[in-house]
Amino acid sequence: MTEVACARCGRSRADDDALTAMSWVTDVDERGSRQYCPRCARENIRGIEAKLKDEWW
Ligand SMILES: [Zn+2]
C-alpha cells in the first residue's frame, strides 16, 4: 500500500483515523494525482473547481 501525504501540508494519511482518511481528496491533472487532507481540501476546493472550469471552457 502506497503511503499518501498531503500535497499542501505534507500530513500523512496514515496519521488519520479511517473516517478522516475517507475524506481525503484526490486532485488529478496532467502531471498525475495529488492528495489533500480534508482541511487543505476545504481551502483548496474552490481553486480545484475553478481550474476544472477553465479547462472545460
Ligand atoms: Zn493538508
Side-chain angles (χ1 to χ4, degrees), residues 1-2 5 8 10 12 14 16-18 20 23 26-27 32 36 49 57:
M1 190 167 174
T2 309
R8 198 154 179 263
S12 173
D16 284 336
D17 59 47
T20 307
S23 299
T26 302
D27 179 28
Y36 294 97
E49 287 176 348
W57 295 109

Side-chain angles (χ1 to χ4, degrees), residues 5 8 10 14 20 23 31 33-34 39 50:
R8 198 154 179 263
T20 307
S23 299
R31 292 184 181 179
S33 63
R34 276 172 254 167
R39 181 183 295 181

Side-chain angles (χ1 to χ4, degrees), residues 8 25-30 34 36 39-56:
R8 198 154 179 263
V25 171
T26 302
D27 179 28
V28 181
D29 64 19
E30 63 277 1
R34 276 172 254 167
Y36 294 97
R39 181 183 295 181
C40 292
R42 265 197 297 273
E43 295 174 7
N44 226 24
I45 194 72
R46 286 183 194 130
I48 293 170
E49 287 176 348
K51 189 180 67 182
L52 288 174
K53 280 175 184 151
D54 282 349
E55 288 172 358
W56 180 261

Side-chain angles (χ1 to χ4, degrees), residues 6-11 24 35-41:
C6 176
R8 198 154 179 263
C9 71
R11 176 191 180 87
W24 278 55
Q35 313 291 326
Y36 294 97
C37 69
R39 181 183 295 181
C40 292

